[in-house]
């Protein structure tokens, strides 16, 4: 395989032979010519590299197509100076622009004082010249603080956070620092990967016209937990044609309810009259604000639907999508492709190319559906600080099916702007 990549911005050009690519802090890249094999091209920095032929052959690839996402205002809690230096060094070596020193001095936090510590850090950050972009914290205990930290940071203070397990952090493993760097990059608005076909505008049904891709899922409490809400999540791509950044919205609804209730809704306001709202409408508006274009096509991946509910979910949710579009502009009816994603089936799919699988030889999950699942699991922490491994809350197990659904706390706008749930 031979491939020539030309830098359009700062940097240089290089030739790819044997499937490996090396860039030096490129602002933008395009394909000049390619061989017969197709694969992936990644935006890297500072001499980082990744194999072009598949997602699974390397781990790194940080940066953003629009340029770097500099992290100039950040804080660390419960970390040693050595851990801090190694993490910053790893992030910078992979193309991120990460300020060498924290904006506020590193401090230790006791598990029983985590609430006050987060509030103190937030108050102190308000005096800084730039808004706080990231909080990195080694958990003060193994399990008891994660949910509380996420709930406080994302719904009360508006802080994007990255938590580290104490056992993993103590090992000082390069693998662990690399994984943290990947998570941090998307949480501050960067991209880890971009498809080769995206660059060349060759993805069918996506590259030709502005397209938004949705992922949706509903997670339910355990069968005996009648007083716990189900949680619906919708994520949607905010960048076209790259389709790599997904904004997420969460909503609570009655337990065991499979149809997403808040896709589209109207409220009668005494002064304004009929007010249109809903998850689809909000995400469509966010897409327009981000790209400056209305979606010509909608691709909707729906996870978690049993076969007996196919027709019911299809009828209600496609209708909600249509109504949300029509509420934005009269006659606005983009094409809609509604795809149900199933895991519990007996169909076995075998890839013809090992480069298109993960390390176990399995076909990759659909990213939008996977992101929706991650966001749904995160939202459980907003109801209860801790959840079981199944993602259900430990709420009261009274058989009261008529309880009122408690709305989820509102995620702060600056947190919703990035993929905080990764």
């Amino acid at each position: 395989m031979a491939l020539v990549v030309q830098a359009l911005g700062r940097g240089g050009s290089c030739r790819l032979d044997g499937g490996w690519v090396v860039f030096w802090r490129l602002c933008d890249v395009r394909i000049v010519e390619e061989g017969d094999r197709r694969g992936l091209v990644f935006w890297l920095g500072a001499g980082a590299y990744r194999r072009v032929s598949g997602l699974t052959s390397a781990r790194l690839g940080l940066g953003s197509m629009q340029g770097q996402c500099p992290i100039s205002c950040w804080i660390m809690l419960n970390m040693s100076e050595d851990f801090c230096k190694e993490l910053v060094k790893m992030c910078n070596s992979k193309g991120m622009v990460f300020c060498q020193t924290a904006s506020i001095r590193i401090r230790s936090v006791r598990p029983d004082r985590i609430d006050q510590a987060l509030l103190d850090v937030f108050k102190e950050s308000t005096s800084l010249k730039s808004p706080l972009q990231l909080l990195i914290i080694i958990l003060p205990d193994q399990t008891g603080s994660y949910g509380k930290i996420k709930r406080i940071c994302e719904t009360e203070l508006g802080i994007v956070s990255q938590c580290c397990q104490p056992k993993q952090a103590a090992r000082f493993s390069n693998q662990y620092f690399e994984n943290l760097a990947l998570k941090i990059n998307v949480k501050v608005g960067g991209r880890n990967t971009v498809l080769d076909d995206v660059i060349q505008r060759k993805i069918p049904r996506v590259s030709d016209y502005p397209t938004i891709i949705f992922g949706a899922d509903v997670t339910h409490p355990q069968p005996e937990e009648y007083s716990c809400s189900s949680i619906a999540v919708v994520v949607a791509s905010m960048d076209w044609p790259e389709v790599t950044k997904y904004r997420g919205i969460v909503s609570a609804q009655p337990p065991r309810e499979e149809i997403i209730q808040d896709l589209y809704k109207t409220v009668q306001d005494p002064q304004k009259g009929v007010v249109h709202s809903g998850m689809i409408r909000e995400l469509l508006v966010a897409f327009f604000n981000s790209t400056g274009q209305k979606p010509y096509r909608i691709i909707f991946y729906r996870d978690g639907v049993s076969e007996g509910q196919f027709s019911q979910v299809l009828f209600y949710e496609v209708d909600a999508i249509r109504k949300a579009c029509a509420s934005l502009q009269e006659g606005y009816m983009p094409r809609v492709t509604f795809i149900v994603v199933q895991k519990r089936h007996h169909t076995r799919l075998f890839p013809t190319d090992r480069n298109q699988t993960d390390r176990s030889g399995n076909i990759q999950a659909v990213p939008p559906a996977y992101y929706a699942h991650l966001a749904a699991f995160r939202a459980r922490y907003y109801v209860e600080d801790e959840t079981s491994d199944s993602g259900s809350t430990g709420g009261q197990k009274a058989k009261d099916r008529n309880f009122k659904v408690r709305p989820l706390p509102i995620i702060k706008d600056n947190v919703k702007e990035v993929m905080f749930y990764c």
Side-chain angles (χ1 to χ4, degrees), residues 320-353:
I321 294 171
R322 290 294 190 199
K323 289 179 178 177
C325 293
S327 72
L328 293 169
Q329 181 180 347
E330 185 177 355
Y332 177 50
M333 294 185 63
R335 298 180 179 181
V336 177
T337 302
F338 193 97
I339 304 168
V340 174
V341 181
Q342 280 192 300
K343 296 180 288 290
R344 297 179 180 88
H345 55 72
H346 298 289
T347 304
R348 294 294 177 264
L349 304 175
F350 298 92
T352 58
D353 184 352

Side-chain angles (χ1 to χ4, degrees), residues 31 34 125 148 150 158 163 174 194 240 276 306 329 370 372 375:
I31 301 298
E34 68 172 329
S125 71
K148 181 179 293 185
K150 293 300 182 181
C163 294
N174 278 340
V194 177
W240 179 84
H276 303 273
S306 62
Q329 181 180 347
Y370 175 64

Side-chain angles (χ1 to χ4, degrees), residues 160 186-189 238 245-248 286 290 411-420:
V160 177
V186 296
K187 287 183 178 181
V188 297
M238 292 290 110
K245 299 180 180 181
Y246 285 81
R247 183 186 181 102
S290 176
I411 301 171
K412 296 295 183 179
D413 288 338
N414 66 305
V415 176
K416 285 196 292 186
E417 291 291 332
V418 297
M419 297 171 67
F420 64 94

Side-chain angles (χ1 to χ4, degrees), residues 125-182:
S125 71
T126 57
S127 63
L128 300 175
K129 295 181 179 180
S130 302
L132 181 61
Q133 296 170 278
L134 181 69
L135 166 67
I136 307 174
I137 178 171
I138 294 181
L139 296 174
D141 49 26
Q142 284 292 338
T143 59
S145 301
Y146 180 84
K148 181 179 293 185
I149 291 170
K150 293 300 182 181
R151 175 179 56 79
I152 293 174
C153 285
E154 294 166 3
T155 68
E156 297 180 18
L157 303 179
I159 298 175
V160 177
S161 61
Q162 175 61 53
C163 294
C164 308
Q165 286 287 357
K167 282 187 177 181
Q168 295 290 337
R171 296 174 182 172
F172 270 64
S173 163
N174 278 340
Q175 171 76 61
Y176 186 64
F177 286 126
E178 290 171 357
N179 291 339
L180 283 179
L182 286 170

Side-chain angles (χ1 to χ4, degrees), residues 29 35 102 265 299 342 361 380 395 399:
V29 176
K265 56 186 180 181
I299 300 176
Q342 280 192 300
R380 284 285 169 198
K399 293 187 178 181

Side-chain angles (χ1 to χ4, degrees), residues 47-151:
Y49 56 84
R50 183 188 272 262
R51 184 177 294 277
V52 174
S53 56
L55 275 169
T56 60
S57 54
R59 304 185 189 93
L60 303 181
L62 306 178
S64 169
M65 188 173 182
Q66 287 79 18
Q68 308 301 324
C69 295
I71 304 176
S72 58
C73 189
W74 58 280
I75 299 173
M76 282 190 173
L77 297 178
N78 281 352
M79 291 190 175
S80 67
E81 292 287 346
D82 291 339
F83 184 94
C84 176
K85 290 179 181 178
E86 287 300 315
L87 180 56
V88 171
K89 179 181 176 182
M90 178 63 72
C91 290
N92 281 323
S93 72
K94 304 309 175 185
M96 299 178 69
V97 181
F98 209 120
C99 182
Q100 296 288 340
T101 56
S103 302
I104 298 176
R105 64 179 178 82
I106 301 173
R107 63 192 72 179
S108 298
V109 181
R110 287 167 29 195
D112 60 340
R113 296 281 296 170
I114 192 65
D115 308 56
Q116 188 60 46
L118 292 174
L119 183 59
D120 291 343
V121 164
F122 175 74
K123 288 180 178 179
E124 195 170 344
S125 71
T126 57
S127 63
L128 300 175
K129 295 181 179 180
S130 302
L132 181 61
Q133 296 170 278
L134 181 69
L135 166 67
I136 307 174
I137 178 171
I138 294 181
L139 296 174
D141 49 26
Q142 284 292 338
T143 59
S145 301
Y146 180 84
K148 181 179 293 185
I149 291 170
K150 293 300 182 181
R151 175 179 56 79

Side-chain angles (χ1 to χ4, degrees), residues 9 68 75 86 112 130 147 191 201 211 215 242 266 305 357 363:
Q68 308 301 324
I75 299 173
E86 287 300 315
D112 60 340
S130 302
R191 293 188 181 91
R201 299 291 184 96
T211 302
E242 295 85 5
T266 58
V305 181
T357 68
I363 297 174

Side-chain angles (χ1 to χ4, degrees), residues 299-315:
I299 300 176
F300 197 96
Y301 287 98
R302 180 63 158 88
D303 196 6
V305 181
S306 62
E307 290 189 16
Q309 295 178 306
F310 275 3
S311 58
Q312 185 181 11
V313 169
L314 179 66
F315 175 80

